[in-house]
Structures are given as C-alpha cells and as structure tokens.
C-alpha cells in the first residue's frame, strides 16, 4: 500500500485525469498484476497471441497504434518494435515503467488522451444537465496513417470513470438514461474503429462472472460488461481469472469472459443489444 501511495504522489498525470480517478485505477491495476501474475498468465498470453496474429495479417508495417496500452503487460512491445517503424501507445495515464521503456526507444511514442473526448466537457457540470445530451467524441485524427489499430482490453473500461463522475454529480446509478449513455460510449468507440483505414484488432471484456469459492464450476452471477451490447461473431474467447480469492474477497472469485474480433478496412462489427 505504501508503494501505491508513493506512485500516486509522484506519477505524471494530467490533473483532470487524476480527478476522474484514472491514475488511482492505473496504480491499482499495476499492483493487482504483481499480486496475480500466475492467475493472469493465460489471459496475457492469449492477448499477445491475438496481437501476433493481427501483425501477421497486416500488409504494411510502418505504424501500429495500441489503444489502452496501459502498463504494456498484455502488449508484446519488443516484437512490435521489431515489426513496425512506429509504435504509438495510447492511454490516459502511463506509469513509470512504460515511460522508461519509451525513453529508451526511438520507435515508441506515448499519447495521453481521453478516448471518449468527454472529460474536459464533463468536469465542470452545470446543475440540471441532461445525460441524454452527452456525446462522446473520439480523437478524430489519432488513427490517421496507421497500418494496424489495436483496441486492447479498454472497451469495457471507457464508460466506468465517466459513469462514476456522473453518479457523484447526482445521477441515479440505476437510471436507464445513464446506462444508455454508457452503452453509447462503447458503441461510439466501435464506430470510430470501423472508420479506420487500417485493419483493426479489438480485444475486450464481454462478461463478468462472480462465483463463490465453494460453488460448482459454472454457477454464480454473470453480468454483461458492455452495458447490454453483445458481439454476434467473435474470433476467439477465453477466461481471464482477474481476481481470484482472496484478491477481492476470500469467499469469491471474479473472472471475465474476453473476446477478440479482427476487422479488415470497411468491415463492421456484428453487434446487437
């Protein structure tokens, strides 16, 4: 806990991102990775495998963009550096380890940006604001000139801090309009990816599953991680043992169902609600 506190105090992070909770979240994920390395191993290997497959399909290898790069645990950075002239890592905050890696490489560029485009406009909320009027604005030119775009385990995370901020501002957490707003953020990210001129690899959480340690396998509570959105076609799926007992609670395990989809330019995601 002390190391996490020091990380929070000395990490480089824009004030608005810190106020929305992104720095705290990044540090918590980093700490959980250290505690749960064995449990996370297969998920990280599956993610890297899908990235390797996407690299092999790309016809050009000048520029790759990784959205939600985080600390880079699920990204084969060394291989991307060998394969591409430019490796662009995108996230709202980067911790010391990934900053150090970027400083030693002429090919890696870090881009700190809000993929929803909402934080600046939502921070100074006025009384009586209408949740229905909230519209995400993904950074328009970010994907320009890419030869491969990878959205890496970030889709389900995009609405979470926005949702928490709106709840703090007085929106009822059970409000249907809030859930619709969060689902729209997810959908807007997918539509933005579809407009890319490059092939796209999407890797995302699909479901969350909470089960008691002593329950039979396959029982427990399942929750859609994408606010009701579902993919009708997936290339691969696997289980991420994200928080085995006692990480969150000694009596419960948390696992995620994760899936991947690879799109060629002009192809669309097959989704339903």
């Amino acid at each position: 806990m002390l190391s996490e506190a020091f990380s929070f105090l000395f990490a480089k992070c824009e004030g608005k991102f810190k106020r929305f909770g992104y720095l705290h979240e990044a540090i918590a994920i980093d700490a959980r990775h250290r505690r749960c390395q064995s449990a996370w191993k297969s998920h990280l290997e599956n993610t890297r495998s899908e990235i390797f497959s996407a690299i092999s399909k790309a016809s050009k290898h000048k520029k790759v963009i990784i959205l939600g790069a985080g600390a880079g645990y699920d990204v084969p950075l060394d291989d991307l550096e060998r394969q591409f002239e430019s490796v662009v890592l995108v996230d709202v905050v980067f911790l010391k380890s990934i900053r150090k890696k970027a400083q030693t490489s002429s090919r890696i560029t870090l881009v700190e940006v809000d993929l929803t485009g909402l934080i600046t406009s939502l921070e100074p909320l006025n009384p009586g604001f209408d949740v229905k009027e909230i519209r995400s604005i993904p950074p328009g030119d970010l994907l320009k000139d890419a030869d491969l775009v990878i959205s890496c385990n970030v889709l389900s995370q995009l609405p979470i801090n926005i949702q928490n901020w709106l709840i703090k501002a007085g929106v009822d957490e059970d409000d249907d309009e809030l859930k619709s707003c969060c689902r729209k953020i997810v959908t807007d990210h997918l539509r933005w990816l579809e407009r890319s001129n490059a092939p796209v690899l999407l890797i995302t959480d699909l479901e969350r599953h909470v089960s008691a340690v002593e329950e039979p396998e396959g029982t427990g509570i399942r929750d859609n991680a994408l606010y009701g959105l579902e993919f009708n076609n997936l290339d691969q799926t696997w289980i991420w043992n994200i928080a085995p007992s006692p990480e969150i609670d000694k009596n419960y395990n948390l696992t995620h169902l994760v899936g991947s989809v690879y799109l060629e330019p002009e192809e669309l995601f097959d989704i339903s609600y």
Side-chain angles (χ1 to χ4, degrees):
M1 292 297 292
L2 187 60
S3 63
E4 292 177 44
F6 275 108
S7 295
F8 188 84
L9 286 173
F10 296 109
K12 293 182 179 179
C13 179
E14 285 193 47
K16 59 184 178 182
F17 296 154
K18 185 181 291 187
R19 288 187 289 274
F20 267 74
Y22 290 102
L23 177 57
H24 179 273
E25 181 181 82
I27 293 170
I29 291 172
D30 190 58
R32 178 171 290 175
H33 170 264
R34 290 195 299 272
R35 293 191 299 267
C36 303
Q37 287 188 48
S38 177
W40 284 26
K41 183 178 179 182
S42 63
H43 163 67
L44 300 181
E45 289 176 346
N46 285 325
T47 299
R48 295 186 195 109
S49 177
E50 289 303 287
I51 292 174
F52 286 135
S53 177
I55 292 171
S56 69
K57 295 174 185 176
S59 59
K60 298 179 181 178
H61 290 79
K62 287 188 176 182
K63 182 178 182 181
V64 59
I65 298 176
I66 300 93
L67 308 171
Y73 295 128
D74 46 8
V75 178
L77 268 181
D78 292 340
D79 295 279
L80 290 170
E81 282 186 274
R82 285 191 289 269
Q83 293 277 353
F84 291 87
E85 296 176 18
S86 174
V87 179
V88 181
L89 307 181
V90 182
D91 216 318
V92 288
V93 58
F94 293 101
L95 300 182
K96 185 177 179 180
S97 58
I98 201 73
R99 289 184 181 278
K100 185 175 180 179
K101 174 70 174 176
Q103 288 172 354
T104 61
S105 173
S106 61
R107 297 195 174 197
I108 296 177
T109 302
L110 303 183
V111 176
E112 295 168 272
V113 68
D114 164 28
L115 292 174
T116 71
L118 286 171
I119 293 174
T120 299
S121 62
L122 288 184
E123 188 170 17
L125 282 174
N126 296 316
F129 67 91
D130 188 347
V131 174
K132 295 192 295 294
E133 298 299 317
I134 295 173
R135 296 288 185 275
S136 56
I137 309 172
D141 294 334
L142 182 61
L143 308 184
K144 185 179 180 181
D145 301 326
D147 296 310
L148 176 63
V149 176
I150 301 169
S151 178
C152 190
N153 293 308
V154 71
L155 181 65
S156 68
Q157 305 303 303
L158 292 175
I160 292 177
N161 293 61
I162 302 298
Q163 180 184 37
N164 292 340
W165 186 266
L166 292 173
I167 291 170
K168 286 180 182 179
V171 178
D172 185 340
E173 63 181 320
D174 295 320
D175 190 331
D176 288 339
E177 293 297 343
L178 178 60
K179 295 176 183 178
S180 177
C181 173
C182 292
R183 186 168 58 246
K184 186 68 165 57
I185 291 172
V186 170
T187 306
D188 286 345
H189 184 76
L190 297 177
R191 297 308 180 212
W192 177 53
L193 294 176
E194 289 172 345
R195 295 194 294 273
S196 168
N197 293 322
V200 170
L201 171 65
L202 172 74
I203 301 172
T204 181
D205 299 340
L206 304 167
E207 293 180 357
R208 304 182 187 95
H209 184 203
V210 178
S211 61
V213 172
E214 297 181 357
E215 283 184 340
E217 187 175 348
T219 60
I221 301 172
R222 294 183 181 275
D223 176 52
N224 184 297
L226 300 173
Y227 301 86
L229 183 146
E230 296 184 351
F231 288 88
N232 299 318
N233 290 304
L234 294 160
D235 295 328
Q236 299 290 338
T237 60
W238 62 87
I239 297 297
W240 179 6
N241 192 12
I242 188 170
S245 168
E247 176 63 22
I248 294 177
D249 188 288
K250 66 179 181 179
N251 297 313
Y252 292 92
N253 297 312
L254 173 64
T255 59
H256 286 185
L257 175 64
V258 181
S260 68
V261 182
Y262 179 85
L263 293 186
E264 294 288 356
E266 299 185 5
E267 288 187 326
L268 304 177
F269 293 106
D270 186 0
I271 59 176
S272 58
Y273 305 99

